[in-house]
Amino acid sequence: MQHPPINLTATSPSPAKERYMENGNIAAASPDDGHRRPAFGWAARDTSGVLSPFTFSRRKNGENDVTIKILYCGICHSDLHSVKNGWQNSVYPIVPGHEIVGVVTEVGGKVGRFKVGDHAGVGCMVNSCRSCHECARHQENYCPGMIVTCNATDADGTVTYGGYSDSIVVEEHFAVKFPAGMPLDRSAPLLCAGITVYSPMKRFGLDVPGKHIGVVGLGGLGHVAVKFGKAFGAKVTVISTSPSKRQEAVERLGADAFLVSKDPDEMKAAWGTMDGIINTVSAAHDVTPWLFLLKTSGQMIMVGAPLKPLEIYAFPLLLGGKSIVGSIIGGMKETQEMIDFAAEHNVTADIELISMDYVNKAMERLAKTDVRYRFVLDIGNTLSAA
């Protein structure tokens, strides 16, 4: 998730008194430790963000649960924020990771959608209240009680740990089924980057053939937005400050056009041509020039999360009834729909597959945006308790 978690009690980690020492490490405590099982991963212990081996525990598989042996986990920029306390809400130790895919090894007696051996994944959330208006509309991502996959407090009072680990236990409702034959390593980032761009395209009617979508930024989110836009049959224009990305965007990713946002002539020639813009930029920036690219009633959809306030002039909005809106991941029903659509249209992320012992170097490179376009950890082959 390219944003700080919502500051709600349900998403804030428990006090340290709910943790205990296990094999020399702090781990989540449970009201009944007999209902725990050992787990292993890598965790950050302080604001340095340095990750190292970590032994902890997860709950045993309940009647509504599935247990997933993790094979791959994507690295999201928000993982970097979390391990370094970039949003001032981190409680250590933190096992990051919310782009989790693997194989089901156990199912509860009331589980109906999964069986042992199925490929399954877990994205940005592991629980919600199930009773509010948003949950009833299959928009658990907007539930005030939504519980994120790591650095939060689950319903049983334990701390949630993410996918830089060997396994995860999650209620069936919050697991996503992956169609047979879908490449799991390249599909893992879809559970965050994919749903982050797919959901607003659907909600704002940009999934219709012939629509013109602008994509600001060609990174982890942007390159997937290009692929989904083309799969929908839309015209896609990439908007970037870097002219060097033109060939990559058009020739390799299949974008129809490329605009250098610092070139006033290119920008003016495209005024009033776009039905919607997916803005993936998380750095502070001026959005005004891009508003002129929108057609009447067009939307700029913010999926990046700049930490500093945006400065917005009203006139570009008033002249044409345009709007700036936000979007955060998607509900579970929509996430499953997205994975099924991606499988049908061969949409995957461009990744660099790395071993677990490379994770700290990967974080350093990620901070410098030195990745094209997503790191994915090869958990199944390189995570070892030894």
Side-chain angles (χ1 to χ4, degrees):
M1 260 183 310
Q2 299 276 45
H3 57 272
I6 301 169
N7 186 20
L8 297 170
T9 302
T11 60
S12 300
S14 299
K17 68 180 181 179
E18 293 188 357
R19 298 180 173 194
Y20 68 101
M21 296 301 294
E22 181 179 292
N23 293 342
N25 297 303
I26 302 174
S30 168
D32 182 355
D33 291 340
H35 290 86
R36 311 294 294 174
R37 67 170 71 193
F40 177 76
W42 281 45
R45 268 74 169 197
D46 53 44
T47 57
S48 70
V50 175
L51 293 133
S52 57
F54 177 57
T55 301
F56 61 106
S57 66
R58 296 198 185 275
R59 71 174 184 265
K60 289 187 177 179
N61 201 90
E63 61 182 8
N64 296 306
D65 290 337
V66 296
T67 297
I68 300 169
K69 177 184 177 182
I70 299 174
L71 299 179
Y72 302 100
C73 185
I75 297 180
C76 177
H77 203 276
S78 61
D79 294 343
L80 182 61
H81 282 298
S82 293
V83 299
K84 289 184 173 292
N85 197 27
W87 294 319
Q88 305 299 307
N89 72 335
S90 299
V91 176
Y92 297 96
I94 293 174
V95 178
H98 54 260
E99 298 175 351
I100 303 165
V101 292
V103 60
V104 175
T105 58
E106 187 176 353
V107 298
K110 293 186 177 180
V111 170
R113 288 195 301 126
F114 295 91
K115 65 181 185 301
V116 172
D118 283 346
H119 289 163
V122 178
C124 301
M125 57 183 162
V126 293
N127 219 331
S128 68
C129 79
R130 319 291 182 85
S131 60
C132 70
H133 176 66
E134 302 303 339
C135 287
R137 296 197 303 162
H138 305 290
Q139 293 188 335
E140 300 93 341
N141 50 313
Y142 295 118
C143 170
M146 186 262 285
I147 297 172
V148 294
T149 306
C150 58
N151 194 43
T153 304
D154 209 342
D156 62 359
T158 61
V159 175
T160 60
Y161 291 117
Y164 296 15
S165 58
D166 58 1
S167 64
I168 190 167
V169 182
V170 66
E171 285 198 40
E172 175 187 26
H173 182 80
F174 291 92
V176 179
K177 193 168 186 177
F178 279 69
M182 194 172 187
L184 298 185
D185 54 352
R186 290 183 284 123
S187 299
L190 299 181
L191 291 169
C192 177
I195 188 61
T196 294
V197 297
Y198 178 94
S199 179
M201 286 183 182
K202 294 282 289 188
R203 191 187 328 157
F204 295 103
L206 301 177
D207 59 331
V208 179
K211 290 286 186 176
H212 186 184
I213 303 172
V215 176
V216 180
L218 194 64
L221 294 177
H223 89 286
V224 177
V226 172
K227 293 184 179 187
F228 272 121
K230 293 305 298 178
F232 286 135
K235 176 182 178 181
V236 178
T237 296
V238 172
I239 308 160
S240 175
T241 59
S242 304
S244 61
K245 292 186 177 181
R246 186 186 302 270
Q247 184 175 2
E248 174 84 358
V250 175
E251 295 184 12
R252 202 175 72 78
L253 294 175
D256 298 280
F258 185 93
L259 291 179
V260 178
S261 58
K262 294 180 179 180
D263 186 322
D265 293 331
E266 283 193 12
M267 292 289 286
K268 189 170 184 179
W271 278 9
T273 63
M274 298 179 187
D275 295 284
I277 294 174
I278 305 292
N279 186 342
T280 73
V281 177
S282 290
H285 60 286
D286 181 8
V287 302
T288 303
W290 302 328
L291 294 173
F292 289 103
L293 301 175
L294 291 168
K295 295 178 181 178
T296 300
S297 302
Q299 295 98 10
M300 176 180 290
I301 306 160
M302 302 296 298
V303 294
L307 295 179
K308 294 182 179 180
L310 297 175
E311 186 175 276
I312 302 169
Y313 293 94
F315 278 105
L317 299 176
L318 301 176
L319 301 174
K322 302 165 187 178
S323 57
I324 298 176
V325 297
S327 183
I328 178 174
I329 56 171
M332 295 312 304
K333 181 178 180 181
E334 190 173 49
T335 302
Q336 184 65 67
E337 174 191 301
M338 179 271 303
I339 289 294
D340 293 339
F341 180 88
E344 181 181 354
H345 294 272
N346 195 30
V347 175
T348 58
D350 289 10
I351 69 165
E352 183 175 332
L353 188 64
I354 61 172
S355 61
M356 194 68 230
D357 60 8
Y358 190 76
V359 65
N360 289 308
K361 180 64 177 178
M363 288 292 190
E364 292 176 7
R365 288 178 54 192
L366 183 60
K368 301 173 184 177
T369 63
D370 178 23
V371 56
R372 188 171 295 182
Y373 287 97
R374 209 74 162 180
F375 287 118
V376 173
L377 290 163
D378 187 355
I379 299 290
N381 291 314
T382 67
L383 179 70
S384 171

